[in-house]
Each structure stands twice: as C-alpha cells, then as structure tokens.
Amino acid sequence: MRLICLLFLIVSLSGCYQNKALTQNTLIYCTDSQPTSFNPQISDDIASLDATTHQIFSRLVKIDSKTNEFVPDLAKSWERSDDKLRYRFTLRNNISFHETDYFQPTRFLNADDVLFSFNRMLDVTNPYHTVNNQSVNYFYNHPFTNLLSAINKIDEHTVEFVLSKPDVTLIANLAAHYAVIHSKEYSEQLLKEGHPEKIDFQPIGTGPFKFKSFDNNGTIRYTKNDLYWQSMTNIENLIFFTNPSATKRYTKLLSGECDAISYPAASQLETISHNKEITLNSKSTANISLWAFNTQQDKLKNPKIRQALAQAVDTETILNAVYFQSAIQTETLLSKQSWALKPRFDNDLFNPEQAEQTLKDLHFDFSQTLRILLSDSSDVFNPNFHKTAELIQANLAAVGVKSRIDDLHEIALKAKLDSGNYDTYLTGINVHINDPDSIFRPLLSCNSTPETGNSSNWCSPNTQVLLDQSLTESNFAQRIKNYYHIQDEVFNQRPYLPIAHVLRLDAISKSILNVEVNPLTGINFQNAIKQDLN
Amino acid sequence: MLINNGFNEDKIQSPLRYIWSIFKGKSIAVVAMWLMIILITTSILSPWFMPHSPLTQDPESMLLPPYWAKGGNINHILGTDDLGRDTLSRLFQGLQFTLGGALTITFFVAFLGMVIGAGAALTKGVKASVLHHLLDALLAIPSLLSALILITIFGPSYTNCLIAIGLSLLPQFIRASYIVIEQELSKQYIVALQLDGATKTRLFRYGILPNILEPTITILNRLFTMSIIEIATLGFLGFGAQLPQTELGSLIANSMELIYLSPWLVTFPGLAIFLVIVIVNIFAEGLRHAVIEGEE
Amino acid sequence: MLSFLIRRLNLLLITALILTIIAFMIDRTVTISHATTTLDQRNYIAQYFSYLWQIINGNFGYSSIDQQGLLKRGLVFFASTLELCFVALLFSSLMAIPLGLLAGLFRNTKLDYMIMTIAIIGLALPVFWVGVMAILLPSIGGDILPVDGNLSLVYDIPVVTGFLLIDTLLVTEQYGFFAFIDRVAHLILPALVLSFFLIAEIVRLTRHSMTMVMRSNYIQTAYAKGFSRTKIVFTHALKNALPPIIPQLRLQLSTILSFAMTVEIVFNLNGIGKWLFISLKSGDYLVLPAGMLIITGFILIFSIATEIVMVLISPLRRGSLYVDK
C-alpha cells in the first residue's frame, strides 16, 4: 500500500515538476568548467570566452558566421590609409551599455570607451593596467603590443589605430575575443568606489545579454539586454551552469534540465548522434593535443631519440580509444585549414621496429625510466590524459622503454613545469586567432615558458628569427615560406609529437535553433530561438 | 592397561566446538562461508590463473560486452574496458585491493580497539575521563570527513587511504567494545572474580573475553562492512587507490564516462562490492545465531 | 535539573575544546604545507588562543579562492545536507519502523528472515554506485525524476534559511508552488538512496529493541493476565520499544552524515560534502577545519539536545537528573 502511494506520488510529481511557462524563455547551457573571470581580455580559457565574448560584450568588428568575412559590429565602417599604417573606425551612434542594479550608464558608447578598453592592455600608466592582472607573462602572447604604436581619438565617434608597421592581422585581432569594448564610465565609477577589481567580475558591456549573478555553485545568470541595438530573440533568461562530469551533463540534456551542453563525453558521441532530439554541433579548431619532449633534459637532448620515441607511439589507437570521433588525427602542429600548412606524406610515422632499432643504435639507456607528466584533470584538448598516457606507456614498453606516469594537480604541476625537471609532458594548446603565429610562438619561442606553452623548453635562434621575421613580413609568399621552414624544423627536431586536432563539440537540444559556435571566440546565443516542440 | 569404560560418559564438547557444530547446521551461512573463502583465495591467486593480466591492453578488442551479450567474446568472459583490458582480471585485482584493505583495517582496528576499549573499561579516574572526552570529540567527526582530512594532509594514496579509514573507524570500535565490556563488568560473576583477587589481565582473559563473543561478531562485521564501503567510496572520489592500481570504487569512477557505451563496466564492480558485503553479512549473521544458540 | 544541565554543558564544552584543538592542528598543517609565504614563528599556544578567539567571534577563516567568509557559506551548505538527511530519515522511518517491529515480533520466522535480508541488501548496496546507476534513468525512462542538482536552474531562489524546502515556499508569489515541487522532485532520488542505508540500520535497531521488550517481565505478566497479543503489542510494547532507538540512532549520526556527503557528491547536490570535495579539489584547504567545526558542532549540540529530550520523556533515564556523580 505504501509503495503504491509512493509510486503515485512520484508519477504525479514527475508530470509537473518542470514548469513550462518558466522554461519557455529560459535557455540553460551546461558547461564543463567555470569562467575564471568575466573579461576575455584577461582570461582566455574557453569557459570564460563562452561566458563573455558574445554574450556580454561586442567588438568593433566581427566575423560573419555564414560568410566568414569581417563585418562591422560596433564600428559602422572603417578605412585604411594608403601607407597601410592607419585604420580609421567610425563608431555607431546610440549604443547603450547595460543597465543593471550596479551601474546605470548616463551616456552612449563613444571613442573614450574604445580607447579605455585598449589602453587598459597597452598603457602601463592606465590605472586598470595591473588590476586582476599580476602575471608578467600575459602580455607576451598578446598581439597588440607589437602591433600598435598609437590609438587616437579623432572625434566622439571616430578612432584611429596607428600600426608600428604594416600588418594584415589587425582586423582579425580586432574581431578576436580580447578586443571587447568596456565602459569607461563604469571603470571610473568603480575607481571612485575603490573596487576596480569588480570590472572583471561584475561586467558591463554592450552585448545582447547582461550579467545578473554568479554564485559559488557555478551558476551564471544573464538577462536579456533590452537596450540591445540589434534584433533579439525570445530568450529572456540565459543561464550557464557548470558541471564537470560529461555524463551528468548529457543526463541533464536528456531530462530537459539543460538545453545545450558543452563537450559531451567523447565516448558518448555515437549514442548522441543516434538521438533524434539532439543536434551535435562540431567545429574543427586549431586546438591541438600534443606530447612535448623536454629538450633541455639530458636523456632527450638528441633529436634522433625524440624522433624514435615519437615513432613508437601509435596515435591512431589513441584517437580511437580516447577521442572516439571528437578529434582529427594529425601529424602537424597546424590544422588542415591553415594557409601556412606544409602538407606531409610520411609513411613511417608509427614504426615501432624502426624506433627500437634507432634507440639501440644510439645506445639509448633502456634501464632509465621516462616520466610522462600530465594534469590530473581533463582539459578541452584531452578528455582523458591518463588513458592517453597509459596507451603511450604501453607503446613505449613495446620498444623496451620504461616509463612512469605522473599525475599532478594544478599547483604541483605548475611547480614541476617551472622547475624544468620533467621528461615529457602530455598537454595541448588553445588557439584563439586563426594565425600560425598564435600556435608557433607560444610553443617554440625562446621567450615563452612551459607555463605559457613552450613545454619542450625549445629555444633555437633559427626558429626565433623565422618567427619574428614572419610576424612583420608583408610579402605573403615569404611568410608562408618562413612557416614552412619552421614546420620542417619542428618535424626534424621533434620537440613535440602532435596527437590530434580537437573538435569543439556542443550537443544542443532540437528545441533550440540558431546557436552559433565560433571555435575561436566561443558560443553565441544572440540569435538563439527556443521553440516549443510539444 | 585398564581401560575404564564402565561409565558411558557423554563427552562434553568445548564451547567453540559446540558453536561450530550448530553453525554447520545452518546451510546458508555455511555456503556464505565457503563463498567467502573462495573469494579471498581466488582474488589472491588470480594473477596466477587468470588468462589476461589486468594491465594488458588490446587495441583489437576494446569495449567488448560480456560473452553472453551480443558481440561478446569467450576469451573475455565479462568483456573488456576502453583500452581492451579484461574486465574479470581487473575485477579480481580490484577485489584484492578492496577486500585485502578491508581485512587489514579490520584486523588492526579490532586489535587496537579491543586493547584501548578494555583498558578504558578497566581503568577509572582521569585517564579514562580524558579518553572519553577525546572519543566523544573524535566520534563527532564523520568518517568520510576524517578520511578527507588525513588524505589532505598526507596526500592521496592507497596506503594513506587505509590508514585514514582505520583511524576514522577506530573511535567507533573503541566505543563499541568499551560499552560491551562495561556491560559485562557489571555482571555478578565478574564481581565474584574480582573478589577472588583476579588481576585485570586475568579478569579480561577468562572473565570477559569468552562472554562477549556474540556482540564482538556484530561489531567486527560492522567494522568490515564499513571499511569495504569506505575504501570503495574514497576510491570512487579519487582519494584512494591511485591509477594504475585498480580498486573497485575507482574502477567505477573511471568507467563513469562510458556508462552509456558500456554500462557493464560500471555494473560489475558495484555488484562485486554488493556481493562481498552480502556474503560477509550472511556469514556473520549465521555465526552470531550459532553463538546465541550455543549459549542458551 | 539545573545541575544536570550544567554537567551536560560542561561535557559539551570540553569536547568542543578538544575539537577546536584538532581544527587548529589541521589549520596549521594545511597552511604550513601549502603556504607560499613564511609564517610568523610565534609559539603554538599563543597561536591557538588567537585562533580560538577568532572561532568564538564567528570567524572561521576565509576561502583562499574568493576571500569569502567560510562560516556563513558552510552553514548554508550544511542546511542543505540537513534537509537531505531529514527527508531521508523521515522516509526510512516510515518504511523501517513497521518492518523492524514485525521482524521483532515474529522473530526467527520466515517473515523475519525476509525483512532482515532486505536490510542486509540495503546495507550492502554502495551508496555511490546506486547514485551512478541512477544516471542511466533518463536514458531508459526519459524524463522521470531529476538525477542531478538541488533545484532546477530556472528558479532563482534567494537564500534566506538555507533550507531550500522553506526558501522555495517563501517565493510562492513569484513562482507559485512550482519551485517547491521542483525541490521535492530533486530530493526524491538522493533521499531514497540515502535511506537504503538508514532502513537497514533502523530495522536492525527496532527489531532488537522490540525483541528485548517482548522478552521483558511486564510483557510476560500481561500475557499471564490473558490479554490478547494485539492489545499487548499496541498498548505496552510499542510505547517501550521505540524510545530506545533514538539514542542508538544518535550514535549513528556521524555515519549518516558521512553517507549523506557521499550522496551529495554523486548527485551533485550543493551540500557540505560537495562543498568540501570541490574546495579540496581546487586547492582551498582551509574549508577543512571550518567544515569540520560546523559538522561536529552540530553533532555535539544535537546529541546534548536529544539527551535532554530523552531525559524528559523517558522515566527510566530521568534518574540521571538526581544522581550526583
């Protein structure tokens, strides 16, 4: 009897526990990790980008999702001077910043806001320059520092960017996530209140959604920006929810508690693709998963040894076992879409016999243990580091090389990388603009540390010169040639073994339409429409 | 030699023998006992007779279902995991860690707990009072929390996890054995022994120990059950056995992402934990009944 | 009465003091082993007293990640845990007490064995595994019950008491009863899983207690008087069999909380277990002493409270009111 009562209760509850009226205009996106801040200028992890770039902020230029061309966004138009050094942007009129309970704008967007947004990054004397940004490394990878010589305000609605030398990547950089426009008025208000750090945690932007709250359980709430200058959709509330377990996210997608999820588990892709109520959105990215050899370590100093170890690893099995269909196998650092890619047709990439022979010929000390360093949590470029390492370990054992897997947690890992006392490191790199330099520079430049990407401690004068030259080279053919040289050197010296180019995956319920995902700058819910399927 | 067999005397069995003869009559409990013995020996001996090593990868046969399901293979009776490792071998290895750990914990905690508990019950005054307050305080800390604390301080590893669980179960065991001995102490035959001038060790060895068999079985059973559950829980949370050690709880955690692809990988380790606990409980319950009947 | 209260309070204070010492030791150990700056080398006793002073003033330290006070946050999370425990306890009492009474009444019959088998199964099912298996539910049955989270994200409930069942009732103007129903739906599965273990415990305790009562002399007397069995059970046995369960269950409180913490982590409920787990994973070690003090503080106060209540309702225990040690 009691059981019957209970069953009845459960059935009656399950019928109505989801309130249709409320869910109709609410979109819930379940992500795998929390943003580290709400400013894409200082945090470039994918979670922060997803949560901010397209939702809260706008840029002067954007990439049209259909044609992949640069189109004006906050800027009405732009023109380039004949010497290719000056770009003049005319801003749109009557664009309002978000009105929230913590900030009420008194004026529309103007040139001062643009100047403030860029000067915060470039001008060391700007009061916001060091706010929430103590690390020195950050500016290194930052493109604007070398690119711009000045930014001038011509009038209230005209801004001029002056380049230090002709560079074609300016527009691409202005469409990137770190070129978002902040409100100068808000920054002044915060300075007066004495809490400048809030600018990155209670953001004010011009985007389609405005920030409402972020609680310590990983829930971010946004509401529709009623003052948005473009047409908006029927989404009133946008909610981001963090749940690190991919299985749980998928379960919530099935039960309707999430409308879209980021990074469904690689192992579940097949199940998901059979589900008729879910669309799987996959975008190829330049993000790459790699195995880095610490070239400063004695046992790995010889490039031939690195070559042999790389040859011993069967990347195809790794792809099948770890990534399933969530990545594309690769032999090069650059993705197939890149214009600088030098195609390669090598047959003996995986050749354990030859690897073993080479190692024997080189009198490799088989009694020593090769350490494989890895992070103990998963990342966007590797759903399961440990499994990958186990496969590599088995491959190495097949050629007689002993290895040990070191899972380290964030802080310990950072200390280990800083000390330089590691052999190999399973890692990857996120790429935020579609330029070969953004891959090669962090990985290969002498100025880059293991923490900023150069986990092989690679430093070759030759590579450095090529890198610096191609950045300023205006002859496109010469740039390509330089990058070809770099790729050859990487191939011969083997500081890295590229494993896979990872896809950006989102599983989206069929009831949500028009979600745009840009693999570089994040997800965009501006045009999303929620429809009632029942 | 004169054999005096004139009196047809009933042979009086020793109490333990008598209990054993009652226990033998309980078929379910006897089955549970045999299962327990088989489980322990097979998991210890498994590396010698299992056809596959728990760590051998096989890229050719990844994620096989058990052999009775469609697509299964008789070579891998319970199927394989995502790296092509044999599930059955891994289960036995997991059992080794879980069951072995639980047995170790039970042994050490029972020994220490009994000594401290008896000491507390047999002494009075400041020492006992201090111990009581300390126990009260330690008992208030949930065992999962104390395990978390110890692991945070000493770092996650299988040994630390065992120590943490042992230390967190110890206060409960001391308290339980203290109560049992305390109850026994107030009985009249103990008072008689005390009046005889028995020393404390003698009092404990001959007066108390034989009479607390039944509650001790209950406490030990509880201790063992709790330690299995906690080893598995900590393993599941990633604070116990570290890869490549495979403990049953961590087996479940590592296969969670594969739950839709191959639910077997999550089901089997859970079932194994379940079965071990059920078998041990049935055995202990049977033994307890035998003791009660033997005493009556 | 007063002397009894003072004696109890005395015990409480000493135990609490020991706990703060333990908390202090944990605090020192984690700060020293994870410290980036060198600490001042004052002697530990002086440090302890300043730590104790902070605790008494309600300052349990600050999170090393976002510099928020730990006490307030911990209490909010703990309220959630208590809510889960309470619902599970309610549910399992409803199931287990009748079962335990039956088993005790019909000791060593088929019915008894059946009930005890259920209890053993409940004990043997690993809590986290059942939670993991529950994930499969939506893929089999579709949208039956939520398996993850405290509350649907649609509802933005301001934290008033921390007890979501109450907080959701406070916002009925905005959401109607939907938020409350949603909360109840989210509680069902975790509470059910948690009550597996509780049912096993309560059945065992009730059965034992009932057996003891049925063997006692006054029940035998009642039989001798010729009362019917039903009458004896309902008028005499029940009244005396149930109260002894409460102190026994109180001893299990820390185990129950331990299981509840596991359930929270598995079902992703925002309770103290998940809070500690997530914080530890992200390197915020100061939550440990704070969380420990909150949990143990609750257990201590609750134990004393039940003891006082027991003394008030049970004549047998009332004796301790007058005994001077």
Side-chain angles (χ1 to χ4, degrees):
Chain A
M1 185 56 208
R2 199 172 283 115
L3 269 175
I4 297 171
C5 277
L6 186 78
L7 277 177
F8 180 73
L9 185 77
I10 290 175
V11 169
S12 59
L13 274 175
S14 67
C16 63
Y17 84 85
Q18 285 182 339
N19 181 358
K20 281 277 176 317
L22 269 169
T23 50
Q24 223 167 38
N25 50 15
T26 304
L27 194 151
I28 304 175
Y29 180 53
C30 295
T31 59
D32 58 325
S33 50
Q34 293 186 13
T36 47
S37 81
F38 287 93
N39 184 356
Q41 293 179 319
I42 63 163
S43 317
D44 58 5
D45 56 293
I46 302 230
S48 303
L49 296 187
D50 281 343
T52 55
T53 325
H54 295 285
Q55 271 58 259
I56 299 177
F57 295 106
S58 326
R59 285 149 304 279
L60 293 175
V61 220
K62 69 175 179 185
I63 301 175
D64 189 290
S65 59
K66 294 190 184 73
T67 57
N68 276 328
E69 278 170 4
F70 295 109
V71 292
D73 197 21
L74 285 181
K76 235 188 296 187
S77 61
W78 70 84
E79 53 200 32
R80 190 175 65 174
S81 67
D82 294 335
D83 58 359
K84 297 177 185 169
L85 279 176
R86 287 162 193 273
Y87 285 73
R88 199 170 273 202
F89 290 85
T90 318
L91 303 179
R92 260 175 231 279
N93 299 321
N94 300 343
I95 289 191
S96 170
F97 282 99
H98 295 156
E99 255 179 33
T100 60
D101 21 321
Y102 52 88
F103 176 65
Q104 279 81 36
T106 56
R107 60 168 175 81
F108 291 120
L109 170 104
N110 64 21
D112 288 331
D113 297 314
V114 179
L115 252 63
F116 164 73
S117 309
F118 286 97
N119 281 338
R120 180 178 174 194
M121 299 188 283
L122 299 171
D123 181 7
V124 245
T125 57
N126 189 297
Y128 276 89
H129 183 72
T130 50
V131 170
N132 295 324
N133 173 44
Q134 260 76 32
S135 70
V136 198
N137 306 323
Y138 157 64
F139 280 100
Y140 173 68
N141 282 330
H142 221 278
F144 286 120
T145 327
N146 297 320
L147 196 72
L148 293 175
S149 68
I151 307 170
N152 302 322
K153 174 181 172 182
I154 307 296
D155 61 39
E156 278 294 290
H157 285 97
T158 318
V159 188
E160 185 184 58
F161 287 78
V162 186
L163 303 181
S164 36
K165 38 199 170 261
D167 192 315
V168 284
T169 61
L170 176 73
I171 298 294
N173 274 318
L174 288 181
H177 57 88
Y178 41 75
V180 295
I181 305 299
H182 287 265
S183 161
K184 188 174 188 209
E185 196 189 354
Y186 180 50
S187 81
E188 281 162 355
Q189 181 193 321
L190 286 178
L191 268 188
K192 234 176 267 164
E193 287 169 7
H195 287 289
E197 75 283 353
K198 277 193 184 161
I199 195 168
D200 300 325
F201 296 97
Q202 293 194 332
I204 291 290
T206 49
F209 294 97
K210 54 186 182 190
F211 178 83
K212 187 175 169 199
S213 67
F214 175 44
D215 70 10
N216 43 38
N217 306 323
T219 317
I220 313 165
R221 291 172 194 278
Y222 306 88
T223 46
K224 185 173 172 176
N225 175 14
D226 297 317
L227 304 168
Y228 193 54
W229 57 282
Q230 277 181 312
S231 63
M232 276 283 293
T233 61
N234 65 346
I235 308 293
E236 292 283 337
N237 298 301
L238 177 68
I239 300 172
F240 276 44
F241 178 69
T242 309
N243 191 333
S245 158
T247 311
K248 280 288 176 70
R249 288 201 298 278
Y250 180 52
T251 314
K252 287 182 86 120
L253 181 66
L254 286 177
S255 70
E257 282 184 281
C258 294
D259 296 307
I261 59 171
S262 71
Y263 293 99
S267 57
Q268 287 152 15
L269 289 181
E270 207 185 323
T271 333
I272 296 176
S273 61
H274 290 313
N275 192 325
K276 289 199 175 55
E277 284 166 13
I278 295 168
T279 336
L280 198 60
N281 185 329
S282 73
K283 288 271 152 108
S284 63
T285 66
N287 295 349
I288 185 167
S289 156
L290 23 93
W291 188 32
F293 300 103
N294 183 358
T295 52
Q296 300 300 312
Q297 201 77 340
D298 280 336
K299 49 187 144 181
L300 294 171
K301 271 225 164 97
N302 188 342
K304 291 230 170 65
I305 288 183
R306 301 198 291 264
Q307 293 270 16
L309 291 176
Q311 250 178 2
V313 173
D314 179 10
T315 45
E316 200 183 330
T317 310
I318 295 180
L319 233 77
N320 289 337
V322 179
Y323 290 94
F324 298 85
Q325 298 120 347
S326 72
I328 301 160
Q329 196 183 356
T330 185
E331 290 116 39
T332 51
L333 292 176
L334 292 179
S335 70
K336 299 248 181 331
Q337 288 83 13
S338 177
W339 46 262
L341 176 75
K342 183 177 185 190
R344 239 172 225 299
F345 306 98
D346 299 292
N347 296 323
D348 55 350
L349 280 168
F350 171 56
N351 192 340
E353 291 84 20
Q354 198 188 329
E356 194 172 3
Q357 196 53 49
T358 322
L359 288 174
K360 275 186 188 143
D361 294 343
L362 291 167
H363 305 293
F364 182 80
D365 180 9
F366 284 98
S367 65
Q368 67 190 353
T369 314
L370 196 71
R371 286 165 300 169
I372 306 173
L373 190 64
L374 47 106
S375 155
D376 67 350
S377 49
S378 65
D379 210 319
V380 283
F381 33 75
N382 198 328
N384 194 335
F385 281 116
H386 195 90
K387 217 161 93 179
T388 319
E390 279 182 297
L391 287 164
I392 292 181
Q393 194 177 33
N395 284 152
L396 290 179
V399 297
V401 176
K402 276 186 281 190
S403 55
R404 197 183 78 214
I405 301 174
D406 285 345
D407 299 65
L408 288 184
H409 194 65
E410 236 173 303
I411 304 158
L413 184 70
K414 191 173 169 293
K416 191 86 178 171
L417 287 174
D418 283 344
S419 75
N421 181 24
Y422 59 93
D423 299 337
T424 65
Y425 178 41
L426 254 183
T427 178
I429 181 163
N430 285 327
V431 182
H432 298 303
I433 53 169
N434 223 342
D435 190 88
D437 189 62
S438 62
I439 296 181
F440 289 136
R441 189 164 288 272
L443 286 177
L444 299 166
S445 162
C446 294
N447 303 330
S448 173
T449 61
E451 208 192 326
T452 52
N454 189 349
S455 41
S456 67
N457 285 313
W458 178 251
C459 183
S460 128
N462 189 21
T463 321
Q464 189 68 31
V465 168
L466 283 172
L467 273 176
D468 292 343
Q469 270 178 5
S470 6
L471 199 64
T472 54
E473 181 65 63
S474 48
N475 181 347
F476 195 60
Q478 185 58 41
R479 269 188 90 184
I480 292 186
K481 213 180 241 170
N482 284 350
Y483 285 130
Y484 275 20
H485 283 307
I486 294 180
Q487 287 173 66
D488 283 337
E489 191 166 355
V490 168
F491 189 77
N492 294 327
Q493 297 287 322
R494 267 273 172 253
Y496 298 100
L497 170 68
I499 296 171
H501 276 111
V502 189
L503 297 174
R504 156 93 201 223
L505 288 164
D506 289 279
I508 299 164
S509 157
K510 277 267 159 69
S511 62
I512 309 285
L513 299 175
N514 294 348
V515 176
E516 288 160 18
V517 182
N518 182 322
L520 297 172
T521 53
I523 199 160
N524 184 353
F525 290 110
Q526 183 191 332
N527 302 315
I529 294 171
K530 187 162 186 174
Q531 52 180 11
D532 201 351
L533 283 180
N534 305 327
Chain B
M1 203 180 188
L2 182 77
I3 298 166
N4 189 355
N5 209 6
F7 303 98
N8 203 358
E9 195 177 51
D10 270 345
K11 200 173 171 198
I12 296 174
Q13 292 171 303
S14 85
L16 285 180
R17 242 169 230 275
Y18 182 54
I19 291 168
W20 176 239
S21 69
I22 299 174
F23 179 78
K24 274 199 293 193
K26 297 181 182 297
S27 49
I28 304 177
V30 173
V31 171
M33 183 190 73
W34 281 113
L35 279 177
M36 210 166 89
I37 293 170
I38 292 171
L39 216 58
I40 293 173
T41 45
T42 43
S43 61
I44 291 172
L45 299 177
S46 66
W48 283 279
F49 69 83
M50 285 307 293
H52 307 277
S53 144
L55 291 175
T56 318
Q57 301 171 2
D58 183 0
E60 300 302 308
S61 50
M62 290 192 290
L63 286 175
L64 286 182
Y67 86 97
W68 61 83
K70 205 176 135 230
N73 184 334
I74 192 74
N75 278 332
H76 302 280
I77 294 178
L78 295 185
T80 55
D81 72 353
D82 49 344
L83 295 180
R85 295 175 291 200
D86 184 60
T87 306
L88 189 64
S89 307
R90 286 173 76 70
L91 270 187
F92 273 120
Q93 205 203 11
L95 262 180
Q96 239 175 55
F97 278 102
T98 314
L99 206 57
L103 284 172
T104 324
I105 290 176
T106 312
F107 179 76
F108 281 106
V109 170
F111 180 73
L112 278 176
M114 209 46 130
V115 170
I116 300 175
L122 295 172
T123 50
K124 293 269 178 301
V126 184
K127 260 190 283 179
S129 170
V130 167
L131 189 81
H132 272 293
H133 287 304
L134 201 62
L135 275 184
D136 267 342
L138 290 177
L139 268 173
I141 308 176
S143 50
L144 181 70
L145 181 65
S146 47
L148 283 186
I149 292 172
L150 290 167
I151 283 164
T152 311
I153 295 173
F154 298 115
S157 83
Y158 177 64
T159 331
N160 287 346
C161 148
L162 290 193
I163 295 172
I165 293 169
L167 285 181
S168 63
L169 289 174
L170 190 60
Q172 294 182 20
F173 189 83
I174 295 176
R175 176 50 64 88
S177 57
Y178 169 79
I179 291 173
V180 167
I181 296 169
E182 180 80 65
Q183 272 172 1
E184 211 58 35
L185 271 177
S186 58
K187 290 191 177 157
Q188 280 165 356
Y189 65 88
I190 299 289
V191 178
L193 250 181
Q194 277 172 327
L195 288 175
D196 269 353
T199 58
K200 277 187 178 151
T201 29
R202 191 180 160 77
L203 193 70
F204 182 66
R205 170 68 187 82
Y206 295 100
I208 298 169
L209 209 50
N211 291 302
I212 54 169
L213 204 55
E214 185 255 345
T216 312
I217 292 172
T218 318
I219 304 173
L220 279 180
N221 176 26
R222 194 181 162 72
L223 183 64
F224 186 75
T225 313
M226 289 309 288
S227 45
I228 286 194
I229 292 179
E230 297 218 342
I231 291 175
T233 308
L234 285 181
F236 175 77
L237 297 179
F239 290 117
Q242 299 293 307
L243 294 165
Q245 292 170 334
T246 47
E247 182 276 328
L248 290 177
S250 62
L251 266 184
I252 297 178
N254 292 331
S255 319
M256 247 183 83
E257 301 261 288
L258 302 164
I259 192 166
Y260 289 109
L261 208 57
S262 176
W264 315 106
L265 289 175
V266 179
T267 316
F268 288 135
L271 277 182
I273 300 173
F274 172 71
L275 282 179
V276 169
I277 298 178
V278 165
I279 288 171
V280 170
N281 271 280
I282 290 175
F283 168 69
E285 198 65 14
L287 203 61
R288 205 170 66 87
H289 274 271
V291 172
I292 294 173
E293 280 172 41
E295 281 171 357
E296 270 165 7
Chain C
M1 184 67 194
L2 193 67
S3 83
F4 168 78
L5 276 181
I6 291 172
R7 216 162 54 227
R8 284 282 104 201
L9 221 57
N10 210 0
L11 286 180
L12 174 80
L13 282 182
I14 295 173
T15 320
L17 214 61
I18 297 177
L19 284 170
T20 54
I21 295 176
I22 298 174
F24 171 71
M25 292 193 313
I26 300 167
D27 184 86
R28 283 302 101 171
T29 325
V30 293
T31 26
I32 289 168
S33 61
H34 301 282
T36 42
T37 51
T38 46
L39 294 151
D40 56 335
Q41 295 295 317
R42 271 184 304 160
N43 63 347
Y44 280 118
I45 295 175
Q47 278 186 36
Y48 170 69
F49 281 111
S50 73
Y51 181 80
L52 190 64
W53 183 242
Q54 299 273 325
I55 297 283
I56 292 170
N57 284 322
N59 175 9
F60 280 39
Y62 296 94
S63 156
S64 63
I65 289 174
D66 53 6
Q67 273 66 47
Q68 298 284 309
L70 289 173
L71 176 64
K72 191 169 166 248
R73 184 178 293 181
L75 283 178
V76 170
F77 279 122
F78 192 55
S80 236
T81 309
L82 284 184
E83 197 172 75
L84 171 70
C85 289
F86 180 74
V87 174
L89 194 67
L90 200 73
F91 186 74
S92 49
S93 305
L94 282 178
M95 294 283 288
I97 290 180
L99 285 179
L101 290 177
L102 279 179
L105 271 180
F106 301 97
R107 203 183 159 82
N108 293 339
T109 60
K110 280 229 173 75
L111 185 70
D112 177 28
Y113 290 141
M114 228 164 70
I115 292 171
M116 288 319 280
T117 314
I118 295 174
I120 287 184
I121 289 176
L123 185 71
L125 279 174
V127 167
F128 63 92
W129 181 65
V130 180
V132 171
M133 294 310 272
I135 293 177
L136 282 172
L137 212 66
S139 71
I140 299 167
D143 187 9
I144 302 174
L145 274 178
V147 292
D148 184 284
N150 273 29
L151 188 65
S152 175
L153 295 161
V154 174
Y155 306 102
D156 190 9
I157 310 285
V159 177
V160 183
T161 56
F163 295 95
L164 272 173
L165 282 175
I166 300 172
D167 283 357
T168 47
L169 282 178
L170 294 177
V171 291
T172 38
E173 282 164 29
Q174 197 181 351
Y175 297 115
F177 280 96
F178 285 109
F180 180 71
I181 292 170
D182 189 81
R183 172 64 183 152
V184 173
H186 275 83
L187 264 180
I188 289 179
L189 266 184
L192 203 67
V193 172
L194 183 58
S195 55
F196 279 164
F197 162 76
L198 274 173
I199 286 174
E201 283 296 305
I202 298 177
V203 165
R204 207 170 53 87
L205 294 174
T206 324
R207 174 175 179 266
H208 181 76
S209 168
M210 192 65 187
T211 319
M212 287 298 140
V213 168
M214 290 308 280
R215 275 189 197 158
S216 59
N217 291 335
Y218 58 86
I219 298 289
Q220 304 293 333
T221 320
Y223 269 122
K225 278 186 177 170
F227 287 148
S228 74
R229 191 181 161 95
T230 348
K231 194 177 173 195
I232 293 171
V233 169
F234 278 96
T235 53
H236 298 285
L238 274 186
K239 216 165 59 186
N240 290 301
L242 292 182
I245 303 171
I246 298 171
Q248 288 289 326
L249 213 54
R250 194 207 75 195
L251 285 179
Q252 301 292 328
L253 192 64
S254 73
T255 319
I256 297 170
L257 278 173
S258 178
F259 274 80
M261 284 160 70
T262 318
V263 168
E264 277 164 12
I265 296 168
V266 175
F267 281 96
N268 205 16
L269 299 172
N270 295 324
I272 198 146
K274 191 190 151 205
W275 177 56
L276 290 175
F277 181 68
I278 300 273
S279 303
L280 289 183
K281 285 259 166 181
S282 54
D284 193 359
Y285 299 106
L286 285 179
V287 297
L288 265 186
M292 193 204 86
L293 284 176
I294 292 171
I295 296 176
T296 50
F298 169 78
I299 291 181
L300 281 187
I301 292 168
F302 185 80
S303 312
I304 303 289
T306 41
E307 204 154 320
I308 292 170
V309 171
M310 284 307 294
V311 166
L312 292 181
I313 61 166
S314 149
L316 269 178
R317 289 186 169 235
R318 216 167 290 155
S320 64
L321 274 181
Y322 312 108
V323 178
D324 283 315
K325 214 168 191 177

